[in-house]
Amino acid sequence: MSSATAAATATIAAAAAKLAATPAPAPSRRRLTLRGNPTARRCVAAMAVSTPRSAAAAAFLERRESERALHFVKYQGLGNDFIMVDNRDSAVPKVTPEEAAKLCDRNFGVGADGVIFVMPGVNGADYTMRIFNSDGSEPEMCGNGVRCFARFIAELENLQGTHSFKIHTGAGLIIPEIQNDGKVKVDMGQPILSGPDIPTKLPSTKNEAVVQADLAVDGSTWQVTCVSMGNPHCVTFGTKELKVLHVDDLKLSDIGPKFEHHEMFPARTNTEFVEVLSRSHLKMRVWERGAGATLACGTGACAVVVAAVLEGRAERKCVVDLPGGPLEIEWREDDNHIYMTGPAEAVFYGSAVH
């Protein structure tokens, strides 16, 4: 062996010995925590990630994950469920309508009737509410959603007890009030009864209102009353042939879309099918514009009471039974405002890739 070769061999051996003496880096560990129902959280074990990666790569991956992660709280009001997003730092929604539709998918997403954004207030309002339906369309507002909105604000701001908020919506100013029992009472404003403002192409039948007008749908003549609560509603208590409607017998998936897309409703419509149990107790099922059959619709329940009063079927204060549970609705004579009272609660917390 030459002296040069011997020297090179010695250098390699020394380097190998130094490398062997250096302790191996401990595997990086990343703790993944799943936040569940606040009253019943589950513990998830830490997951060890032993694959080494450079600091630059780690920074890139963490940044990418942060940009793609949407943090949300799932809320429901009588089974009408929403993905609530804290959007107070921007007037631009954090997800697009297309992304919202994917998030609402109950098989391939989180699952919800809509995505609601808490945004900065405008025109003197405390907050702005925007919502994307499960089909990606954007309604003016949502009654059950605004109750969830109020409870979500209280959670974000760590508020206790009774509180009221001025909420700017596409339907105007809405004022929800959290009550001591946890329910939310909402001043829904005044109903709109003028046909062109609802909007509907049906001719007025009572002053400027569309009350018990004939509407041909699927071979039957339905008698409908049209009301807007900032969003359009078509309320029916039955057909000319069938005076008493049994709402549980309806196949909503068949009849609902035919009302929603009827040519008499240029902006499409929500449709409520109503059964009168007494003059202070109504039962309804709803086909929502952009969401289909849902367990509850707050603006729909308000529209139902207005229609029932206009048709002489009920008093101004009623309990309205929906598939998800009851709402208390009052249409006051003194200020012409409608007040809705009902529950809203958090279901779980999570993050979604979008």
Side-chain angles (χ1 to χ4, degrees), residues 78 80 144 233-237 245-248 250 252 270-277 281-288 294-305 319-327 329:
L78 298 181
N80 204 189
N144 285 311
H233 292 270
C234 173
V235 181
T236 182
F237 295 84
L245 187 63
H246 297 286
V247 296
D248 289 337
L250 290 171
L252 277 188
N270 302 282
T271 309
E272 288 77 32
F273 302 89
V274 192
E275 183 176 342
V276 178
L277 302 180
H281 194 182
L282 307 173
K283 181 178 181 179
M284 64 171 271
R285 291 180 67 191
V286 59
W287 180 268
E288 289 198 52
T294 62
L295 295 178
C297 177
T299 56
C302 294
V304 160
V305 172
V319 172
V320 180
D321 288 344
L322 302 100
L327 285 173
I329 308 294

Side-chain angles (χ1 to χ4, degrees), residues 22 120 125 133 141 163 210 269 294 313 318 333:
T22 302
N133 283 325
M141 67 93 61
H163 289 277
V210 179
T269 189
T294 62
R313 299 177 184 271
C318 293
E333 283 191 87

Side-chain angles (χ1 to χ4, degrees), residues 7-343:
T9 302
T11 301
I12 294 172
K18 183 178 180 179
L19 182 62
T22 302
S28 61
R29 302 181 70 87
R30 184 178 178 189
R31 184 171 295 274
L32 302 180
T33 305
L34 176 66
R35 298 184 66 187
N37 187 310
T39 60
R41 295 180 181 171
R42 297 179 179 179
C43 296
V44 179
M47 181 174 72
V49 181
S50 59
T51 305
R53 63 185 184 184
S54 69
F60 169 78
L61 289 171
E62 292 296 336
R63 182 172 65 251
R64 185 183 65 182
E65 290 167 4
S66 176
E67 288 172 352
R68 295 186 66 200
L70 176 73
H71 303 294
F72 66 88
V73 184
K74 179 78 173 289
Y75 267 78
Q76 64 89 12
L78 298 181
N80 204 189
D81 55 343
F82 306 95
I83 297 168
M84 309 296 299
V85 179
D86 182 3
N87 214 119
R88 291 174 295 169
D89 59 350
S90 174
V92 179
K94 290 185 177 179
V95 299
T96 65
E98 294 76 17
E99 290 171 331
K102 292 179 181 178
L103 287 168
C104 290
D105 190 290
R106 297 188 184 278
N107 296 108
F108 297 99
V110 176
D113 292 320
V115 179
I116 295 178
F117 306 90
V118 177
M119 308 178 85
V122 296
N123 302 326
D126 300 314
Y127 304 92
T128 295
M129 171 181 166
R130 289 185 64 181
I131 174 172
F132 293 149
N133 283 325
S134 57
D135 69 350
S137 61
E138 182 172 3
E140 296 82 357
M141 67 93 61
C142 172
N144 285 311
V146 79
R147 296 200 316 275
C148 294
F149 190 98
R151 290 293 301 271
F152 186 42
I153 289 172
E155 182 177 17
L156 291 174
E157 305 286 4
N158 195 27
L159 302 176
Q160 305 295 326
T162 60
H163 289 277
S164 64
F165 313 98
K166 295 179 181 178
I167 310 300
H168 174 75
T169 75
L173 190 68
I174 301 294
I175 304 176
E177 178 184 355
I178 300 175
Q179 301 184 310
N180 284 323
D181 60 1
K183 290 184 178 180
V184 182
K185 184 175 184 177
V186 185
D187 179 352
M188 299 289 286
Q190 301 184 33
I192 298 168
L193 301 177
S194 170
D197 295 331
I198 289 173
T200 179
K201 295 179 181 179
L202 289 168
S204 59
T205 58
K206 186 176 182 180
N207 298 324
E208 295 183 355
V210 179
V211 180
Q212 287 185 301
D214 290 348
L215 182 69
V217 179
D218 200 27
S220 297
T221 301
W222 294 77
Q223 293 189 310
V224 303
T225 294
C226 298
V227 180
S228 172
M229 292 303 305
N231 56 351
H233 292 270
C234 173
V235 181
T236 182
F237 295 84
T239 66
K240 276 190 170 182
E241 300 81 12
L242 183 65
K243 294 295 183 181
V244 178
L245 187 63
H246 297 286
V247 296
D248 289 337
D249 296 337
L250 290 171
K251 293 183 179 180
L252 277 188
S253 60
D254 291 341
I255 194 69
K258 296 173 183 177
F259 275 85
E260 178 184 356
H261 298 280
H262 198 286
E263 62 182 359
M264 289 293 104
F265 305 107
R268 296 189 293 162
T269 189
N270 302 282
T271 309
E272 288 77 32
F273 302 89
V274 192
E275 183 176 342
V276 178
L277 302 180
S278 76
R279 290 190 61 81
S280 61
H281 194 182
L282 307 173
K283 181 178 181 179
M284 64 171 271
R285 291 180 67 191
V286 59
W287 180 268
E288 289 198 52
R289 178 186 61 166
T294 62
L295 295 178
C297 177
T299 56
C302 294
V304 160
V305 172
V306 172
V309 172
L310 292 176
E311 294 191 20
R313 299 177 184 271
E315 306 298 334
R316 285 180 170 263
K317 189 173 183 178
C318 293
V319 172
V320 180
D321 288 344
L322 302 100
L327 285 173
E328 301 165 31
I329 308 294
E330 182 180 7
W331 184 18
R332 293 184 184 172
E333 283 191 87
D334 56 356
D335 61 4
N336 198 38
H337 283 224
I338 302 176
Y339 295 84
M340 170 189 64
T341 304

